[in-house]
Amino acid sequence: MSRGGLDPKTAPTFPMAAKAMLGDAQLRKNVRHATDVIQGKRARVVGEMPDWQELREAGKQIRRHTMEYLDFYLEEFEANCTRAGGVVHWARDAEEARRIVVELVKASGSDEVIKIKSMTTEEIQLNPALEAAGIHPYETDLAELIIQLGEDRPSHIVVPALHKNRQEIREIFQREMNLPELGDRPQDLADAARMFLREKFLRVKTAVSGANFLIAETGGVCVVESEGNGRMCLTLPETLITIAGIDKVLPRFQDLEVMLQLLPRSATGERMNPYNSIWTGVDAASADDGLRDGPGVFHVVLMDNARTEILADEEGRQTLNCIRCGACQNACPVYRQTGGHAYGSVYAGPIGAILTPQLQEMHHAQSLPYASSLCGACYEVCPVKINIPEVLIHLRNKVVKQNTAGVAGLFDVEAGAMKAMAMIFRSERRFRATQRLGRMAERPLVRKDERGQGWIGWLPGLLGGWTQARDLEEMPKETFRDWWERRGRDGN
Amino acid sequence: MRVLERLGHTVEFPRGQTCCGQMHYNTGYQAEAMPLLERFVAQFRGAEAVVVPSSSCVAMMRDHYPKMAVAIGRAELIAEVDALLPRVFEFSEFLTKRLGLEDVGAYYPHRVTYHASCHGLRNLLLGDGPMRLLKAVRGIDLVELQGLEQCCGFGGTFAVKNADVSSAMLAEKTTAVLNTKAEACTACDNSCLMHIQGALHRQRTGVKTVHLAEILAGEDGVGR
Amino acid sequence: METDMVTNSRAEVLRRVRAATGGTSDGAAAWIGWNGIAREYRRKGTRERKKVLALLEDRLRDYDGRVVRVTSEGVGQSVAEILAERGVRRMVVPVGLPVGWLPVSWMPPSAGGVEFVVDEGLSSHELDGVDGVMTGATLAIAETGTFVLQSVAGQGRRATTLVPDYHLCVVKAEDVVETVPEAMERLQEMAGLATTFVSGPSATADIEMTRIKGVHGPRFLDVILIV
């Protein structure tokens, strides 16, 4: 049961993918409903907090500080986790991370794993690698289960199946769980998932998880979830393998007092999500007396996978502050139109538009930094104050630099137009001449409407997108500049 | 112009002015935007206050000019930008925050709805300033726009590069505008208005867009 | 060779981090920097005691938990009533649960009473066979409707409060704090213990954002608040 991953290397450009999504009325309806509901819940519980802005500021400062001293905190985490009986591994890239996890699962003696929802494992496309090695992964988060059984792809960081409605989910469960009589009430569907997975929780001896936070001070790991599937995976198996980006570290236990307030309210609009698990290494009690709490073997894989590239870019670095709450996706008017798949990456929406190209070292996904109207709604809701519009602009600059470098750049139509316009704006004489020229050039395109006002309904080339759904009013016969000067002359 | 003059201010229009450079900067052509910053400073350095009728231009200056000046690296330019920016105001902001006004003596007997442009709302934090100005206009029938803080989908080159998504966002905005049964939709940003106008005209709705300044410039001929 | 590879990856990742941040970090500088983080959010609650407890109750109920207030003498009686109402027959309890919390004169299981099984190493399958679990809690957070469990006497292993479908948790009023920072401060000393924050029964909103009570964790939750 393999499914096509979201791979930025092969995904179509955003405008192309978005066009297809815009044609799917059901998907757009589902996305709109889900994002409306989460936004409403978030607004209510954020509104309860008189110190929300102070929490956001602290969140930002904690994350920025962590990045500044990342090597120190990573080593501290490693030392403390190791002391508590955990085994720490380091992976330079996705390939190495996959290899380490596959080997660890094999070493655990299991050919199946239960998995907690983890965007990091989606990022590195772990499931196909496990399957290729003869290991069956069971996704246990309800949404991820829907995605896995439906051979679909996640479209949201927190609610990966938000693009599916209950009827679509019922069809998948009826078919894959062999439950022809299954109803379509959400409760029926959740009960079916409980039945389907309980047997796996009790049987499978190896689990793979992501992490919300790694705590340097204690060597502990924190996972935030709702359904209890996370706790099952963290608690019942004999071997637990946690994979986390190196950006997930927090300096101290106390820092959770900020993150555990920011994350649930931003992510699901809850004051606190039902379950937060914090564990440190392995329980020292012996397995023999049966009183050991949790797995006896615990591995952590610390993965770079281009995060250090982002760290090295002063303006892009704040991208790493992200705590994966998805609030920016719910607030984004672009995401709300297209859903997540159009972004061609597990990280969709505004955060995806800045994270994905950087994880690709700007070699792929170059259309993503432009998948935003820069309206700023994402920045407004970000719990750690990542200035996403600022990073988008920064990445656009990088894209332009790449595209205009060398000989090919000389033939870049957009760059040529931009440079010409910049030239015009640098001189009043050229500016006025261009206004006159513009009036002449547009003349063949202008059609008079019933009021005698001239409008352009079709534009050529790069500008054609405008006239798909909009007209453009013709340039005025008398510019403001002319009017101002005439007014000065006439003494009016 | 008329509003400011009516309020007793002397208005000058430096002819050398062109563009703040936002389109270049936001599209990734930052090098091309740099000379436009210098041009802006040269044109406006003598002004007591610079009033800009477009919120996104002001946002561009406030959010990016300081670091652009630093990037250019000339100490006197950095100092000039620092000195000039506090004197740059978006039009409605100038009236409400700098002059402390709400009623500017305008008369505009039409049904109007207001769209909160993103940069005005989130970067300049204009809040309800424009609405307070509108509420004080005599004769106006002001109706609230559903989702007034939602982006209209313009976003500069976004409207061209991602025309399909932009059109979908715009369709929601125009539907909301039409639902108000307003004769005109206003805002503090000409680019949003041009965008919304484009669709309202294409759909032959008869609803027009007017800049806030045009409404505030309205007079009933009685004189005051 | 495998070891070389592992060592190299570690060194390489750390080298990249240091190249990106401008050198090896100094622990003392990190300490100073961390202490300089602006924490202007509320650290201590401001409500009076009575209101804090009322807030906890309100927030627990808001997330589908049931709350009963009793005095310390009344716990056993209250437990008997709640369990009878829930209709549970077999309850698992952790080692170290205060005996005084158990019903004083409960009927033997053979006569239809509730059987209490002490967890002395039950397997996951065995836990799946009991109706519920009863534990204490380290503390509770009023503002979020949360109680915090740790691997200690009276609270037990994490699996025991997870696999059974019903959880009865006993919280002492003196262990109720108002805010999250107050809770973290109390937990700091034993930060290395396996710790679980529980806020309501397990839930999901993955289907059309409809909140559904109970997926994999306990679907039913009662809280006894000892005042």
Side-chain angles (χ1 to χ4, degrees):
Chain A
M1 180 174 24
S2 70
R3 63 197 151 102
L6 286 161
D7 189 347
K9 291 192 179 72
T10 53
T13 64
F14 181 81
M16 279 177 62
K19 190 168 183 147
M21 297 303 157
L22 289 170
D24 188 338
Q26 183 63 54
L27 176 136
R28 288 176 72 190
K29 201 172 149 213
N30 297 347
V31 171
R32 174 53 52 97
H33 169 75
T35 52
D36 277 348
V37 173
I38 317 181
Q39 284 206 93
K41 287 171 70 181
R42 176 198 169 274
R44 194 169 69 91
V45 296
V46 165
E48 283 175 3
M49 301 294 279
D51 55 349
W52 185 251
Q53 295 308 330
E54 288 76 13
L55 283 165
R56 283 179 80 212
E57 181 59 31
K60 171 186 164 176
Q61 291 193 23
I62 290 168
R63 298 296 288 150
R64 193 172 59 192
H65 166 81
T66 309
M67 296 311 150
E68 208 176 321
Y69 297 94
L70 190 58
D71 61 326
F72 173 76
Y73 288 124
L74 285 170
E75 287 196 304
E76 193 187 11
F77 171 80
E78 179 189 42
N80 289 322
C81 179
T82 308
R83 191 174 304 130
V87 185
V88 178
H89 308 259
W90 300 72
R92 282 171 280 205
D93 51 28
E95 196 280 323
E96 190 172 16
R98 287 192 295 263
R99 192 176 48 71
I100 292 171
V101 174
V102 166
E103 282 173 15
L104 290 174
V105 175
K106 282 185 177 164
S108 76
S110 180
D111 59 2
E112 332 173 85
V113 294
I114 43 178
K115 278 189 70 203
I116 309 183
K117 178 173 94 73
S118 152
M119 286 297 116
T120 309
T121 64
E122 295 279 1
E123 173 190 331
I124 65 169
Q125 302 190 27
L126 181 64
N127 286 2
L130 289 170
E131 283 163 13
I135 299 159
H136 188 97
Y138 294 103
E139 293 291 350
T140 64
D141 171 74
L142 180 54
E144 284 287 339
L145 178 68
I146 294 164
I147 300 279
Q148 186 179 37
L149 295 179
E151 299 193 19
D152 197 352
R153 302 165 300 163
S155 70
H156 189 281
I157 303 178
V158 176
V159 207
L162 99 174
H163 57 287
K164 293 280 186 213
N165 68 12
R166 63 183 74 186
Q167 287 81 22
E168 293 166 309
I169 295 166
R170 173 172 68 165
E171 278 173 34
I172 294 168
F173 281 11
Q174 283 178 330
R175 187 176 67 236
E176 298 296 323
M177 295 177 182
N178 197 19
L179 297 169
E181 306 295 317
L182 184 62
D184 71 355
R185 291 184 315 139
Q187 188 71 58
D188 299 334
L189 299 169
D191 287 348
R194 179 183 169 96
M195 293 283 290
F196 180 77
L197 287 172
R198 172 110 345 188
E199 174 266 328
K200 275 112 193 143
F201 289 136
L202 298 179
R203 177 168 54 83
V204 178
K205 296 298 177 203
T206 304
V208 173
S209 88
N212 289 96
F213 305 106
L214 310 173
I215 307 154
E217 179 191 24
T218 61
V221 182
C222 178
V223 163
V224 169
E225 52 126 0
S226 293
E227 296 168 14
N229 66 302
R231 293 181 67 196
M232 292 279 182
C233 295
L234 302 174
T235 316
L236 302 188
E238 287 165 7
T239 301
L240 171 61
I241 303 160
T242 295
I243 173 160
I246 54 172
D247 51 316
K248 290 294 175 74
V249 70
L250 282 180
R252 303 215 204 150
F253 186 76
Q254 193 198 322
D255 294 321
L256 286 173
E257 74 187 19
V258 177
M259 299 304 162
L260 292 183
Q261 296 197 74
L262 290 172
L263 180 56
R265 287 178 201 258
S266 300
T268 51
E270 291 168 302
R271 298 185 186 100
M272 193 66 89
N273 44 287
Y275 300 130
N276 299 333
S277 294
I278 304 166
W279 74 97
T280 309
V282 294
D283 187 5
S286 148
D288 300 335
D289 60 14
L291 279 175
R292 192 186 62 215
D293 187 346
V297 181
F298 172 51
H299 297 275
V300 182
V301 183
L302 300 175
M303 183 181 75
D304 177 2
N305 205 29
R307 283 156 177 76
T308 47
E309 291 278 332
I310 305 176
L311 190 68
D313 177 354
E314 226 168 280
E315 288 177 77
R317 185 187 284 184
Q318 56 176 315
T319 311
L320 295 176
N321 295 356
C322 177
I323 56 172
R324 309 285 190 265
C325 71
C328 62
Q329 304 183 318
N330 307 326
C332 177
V334 175
Y335 178 93
R336 282 157 59 78
Q337 294 293 343
T338 64
H341 293 160
Y343 293 78
S345 157
V346 295
Y347 304 113
I351 188 62
I354 60 172
L355 182 57
T356 305
Q358 295 185 89
L359 288 177
Q360 301 295 321
E361 298 172 29
M362 304 304 292
H363 295 312
H364 300 278
Q366 286 205 347
S367 63
L368 288 183
Y370 293 93
S372 164
S373 65
L374 302 180
C375 82
C378 48
Y379 181 27
E380 194 173 47
V381 297
C382 177
V384 290
K385 293 170 90 166
I386 302 171
N387 191 334
I388 295 179
E390 186 177 275
V391 180
L392 284 166
I393 294 170
H394 169 64
L395 298 181
R396 290 176 182 190
N397 199 37
K398 280 188 150 184
V399 170
V400 167
K401 276 186 186 156
Q402 275 186 10
N403 292 353
T404 55
V407 180
L410 298 175
F411 301 99
D412 187 295
V413 179
E414 179 192 286
M418 282 292 184
K419 283 187 202 305
M421 260 188 289
M423 207 143 77
I424 291 159
F425 290 152
R426 286 208 293 272
S427 140
E428 189 207 355
R429 193 176 50 79
R430 284 197 290 264
F431 186 76
R432 300 188 81 141
T434 309
Q435 286 184 328
R436 283 193 300 276
L437 264 175
R439 271 199 301 280
M440 289 196 305
E442 73 177 8
R443 208 165 288 157
L445 302 172
V446 173
R447 301 283 176 271
K448 297 286 178 198
D449 67 8
E450 54 283 357
R451 294 181 193 172
Q453 177 60 47
W455 290 84
I456 298 168
W458 177 86
L459 282 169
L462 289 178
L463 301 173
W466 179 275
T467 45
Q468 257 175 223
R470 317 160 187 79
D471 292 336
L472 187 63
E473 195 167 359
E474 72 171 334
M475 292 169 76
K477 297 278 172 306
E478 184 181 48
T479 63
F480 179 85
R481 211 172 281 266
D482 298 337
W483 171 79
W484 181 253
E485 284 169 8
R486 181 167 58 79
R487 191 166 173 258
R489 279 196 306 274
D490 301 351
N492 179 24
Chain B
M1 292 290 172
R2 291 203 177 104
V3 177
L4 295 173
E5 286 179 345
R6 191 165 67 208
L7 295 169
H9 299 275
T10 310
V11 185
E12 286 181 37
F13 180 85
R15 288 190 211 158
Q17 65 177 295
T18 55
C19 171
C20 68
Q22 179 183 207
M23 179 182 70
H24 285 92
Y25 192 89
N26 282 358
T27 310
Y29 294 83
Q30 286 162 26
E32 281 71 20
M34 296 296 182
L36 301 177
L37 153 70
E38 299 190 64
R39 187 171 187 87
F40 176 82
V41 172
Q43 292 290 322
F44 291 97
R45 57 163 64 95
E48 190 184 338
V50 181
V51 179
V52 183
S54 170
S55 51
S56 59
C57 303
V58 181
M60 162 73 193
M61 296 172 199
R62 281 199 198 145
D63 292 352
H64 304 304
Y65 273 14
K67 63 182 180 229
M68 285 166 68
V70 169
I72 292 172
R74 291 208 322 272
E76 74 277 11
L77 183 68
I78 298 170
E80 278 198 294
V81 167
D82 282 351
L84 182 54
L85 282 183
R87 308 204 303 276
V88 176
F89 298 92
E90 183 276 329
F91 174 71
S92 74
E93 183 182 45
F94 180 74
L95 297 176
T96 56
K97 293 189 185 163
R98 174 72 203 279
L99 302 181
L101 290 174
E102 286 186 10
D103 186 351
V104 296
Y107 173 70
Y108 195 83
H110 300 284
R111 191 173 170 91
V112 172
T113 192
Y114 168 72
H115 159 68
S117 293
C118 300
H119 288 111
L121 182 74
R122 301 194 182 87
N123 300 53
L124 306 186
L125 306 175
L126 296 181
D128 63 349
M131 281 298 269
R132 284 187 283 126
L133 288 165
L134 284 166
K135 277 179 188 154
V137 172
R138 280 171 302 120
I140 200 167
D141 176 12
L142 195 59
V143 254
E144 191 176 326
L145 184 66
Q146 192 76 33
L148 86 159
E149 77 300 334
Q150 285 280 324
C151 179
C152 72
F154 175 63
T157 48
F158 174 76
V160 178
K161 283 176 179 277
N162 278 288
D164 295 296
V165 181
S166 170
S167 302
M169 289 159 69
L170 178 58
E172 272 178 38
K173 184 57 72 178
T174 51
T175 303
V177 170
L178 294 176
N179 285 342
T180 65
K181 308 251 186 299
E183 300 160 68
C185 172
T186 189
C188 297
D189 203 311
N190 265 328
S191 36
C192 310
L193 291 174
M194 173 177 76
H195 191 231
I196 296 168
Q197 174 83 84
L200 289 173
H201 187 268
R202 171 66 60 89
Q203 298 165 32
R204 300 288 178 262
T205 60
V207 180
K208 59 179 181 173
T209 57
V210 287
H211 191 281
L212 178 73
E214 295 176 68
I215 292 177
L216 299 186
E219 288 174 5
D220 59 6
V222 180
R224 289 172 67 92
Chain C
M1 215 180 90
E2 182 62 16
T3 319
D4 276 0
M5 179 89 178
V6 171
T7 320
N8 288 344
S9 297
R10 179 184 189 281
E12 173 61 12
V13 172
L14 286 169
R15 186 198 65 75
R16 290 176 186 172
V17 171
R18 287 173 179 141
T21 55
T24 303
S25 295
D26 167 35
W31 175 265
I32 293 164
W34 187 86
N35 280 301
I37 290 168
R39 294 176 191 270
E40 282 160 21
Y41 49 87
R42 292 169 303 141
R43 305 195 52 83
K44 298 262 178 277
T46 51
R47 293 177 173 89
E48 53 182 289
R49 217 43 218 157
K50 239 171 59 187
K51 291 203 169 142
V52 172
L53 297 182
L55 182 65
L56 174 68
E57 280 197 45
D58 175 71
R59 296 289 151 90
L60 280 165
R61 290 203 178 100
D62 196 27
Y63 284 158
D64 307 310
R66 285 203 330 185
V67 192
V68 180
R69 281 191 194 217
V70 297
T71 59
S72 54
E73 295 79 41
V75 178
Q77 179 59 33
S78 178
V79 168
E81 287 166 14
I82 290 171
L83 295 184
E85 196 188 323
R86 286 285 183 188
V88 293
R89 305 293 303 275
R90 288 185 81 218
M91 290 287 284
V92 62
V93 294
V95 172
L97 189 83
V99 177
W101 289 356
L102 297 178
V104 189
S105 58
W106 81 89
M107 283 184 290
S110 53
V114 178
E115 179 187 1
F116 287 90
V117 185
V118 177
D119 174 35
E120 289 175 316
L122 296 176
S123 71
S124 304
H125 280 98
E126 286 167 323
L127 285 172
D128 197 33
V130 301
D131 298 327
V133 56
M134 175 177 164
T135 69
T138 297
L139 58 84
I141 309 168
E143 214 167 66
T144 57
T146 304
F147 58 82
V148 176
L149 305 173
Q150 292 181 299
S151 312
V152 291
Q155 298 173 42
R157 298 184 303 144
R158 288 172 289 169
T160 56
T161 53
L162 172 64
V163 179
D165 206 12
Y166 168 63
H167 186 181
L168 172 58
C169 185
V170 183
V171 178
K172 295 184 212 149
E174 68 254 35
D175 294 331
V176 178
V177 297
E178 186 176 337
T179 67
V180 174
E182 288 170 287
M184 298 313 288
E185 197 179 330
R186 287 205 193 188
L187 293 171
Q188 175 77 46
E189 208 177 320
M190 302 296 273
L193 288 174
T195 301
T196 309
F197 286 55
V198 179
S199 310
S202 89
T204 183
D206 277 344
I207 300 166
E208 294 184 10
M209 299 315 296
T210 310
R211 187 180 162 98
I212 305 161
K213 181 170 62 168
V215 191
H216 304 296
R219 289 184 285 189
F220 306 96
L221 174 68
D222 292 330
V223 176
I224 292 179
L225 186 58
I226 306 180
V227 289

